[in-house]
Amino acid sequence: CDQIGNLCYLTPEENRQAGNADWDIKRPILERSKLALAKEAAAYDTWTKATVRKRSEKLIKLIRDDLGI
């Protein structure tokens, strides 16, 4: 799914650990992250197209608000 909501900043080590693993493997890695947006992503119980769409909308609003547009 090529949407902004499907992207998450991780440290290089976290990224290596998460790789292309399923959500049940990635979620604990994101929960332990020191990066706020990674922890925010971990709050979702499931990672589906609907979740990605919802997170995309949230991130776009965050960016727009931050830029004042």
Side-chain angles (χ1 to χ4, degrees):
C1 184
D2 295 331
Q3 293 186 29
I4 192 170
N6 202 33
L7 301 175
C8 189
Y9 284 113
L10 297 172
T11 66
E13 178 59 26
E14 291 166 343
N15 194 46
R16 277 190 291 278
Q17 291 173 359
N20 289 324
D22 289 333
W23 181 241
D24 60 330
I25 303 296
K26 286 184 180 182
R27 189 175 185 199
I29 296 165
L30 293 155
E31 288 174 329
R32 291 189 303 267
S33 179
K34 293 179 182 170
L35 303 173
L37 287 177
K39 287 185 179 197
E40 177 271 332
Y44 293 96
D45 292 328
T46 59
W47 201 257
T48 63
K49 287 183 181 183
T51 305
V52 171
R53 201 169 24 254
K54 181 178 178 181
R55 188 165 183 264
S56 292
E57 292 168 4
K58 185 176 180 178
L59 290 174
I60 290 167
K61 182 181 181 335
L62 180 71
I63 292 165
R64 291 184 75 176
D65 290 350
D66 192 53
L67 295 175
I69 55 174

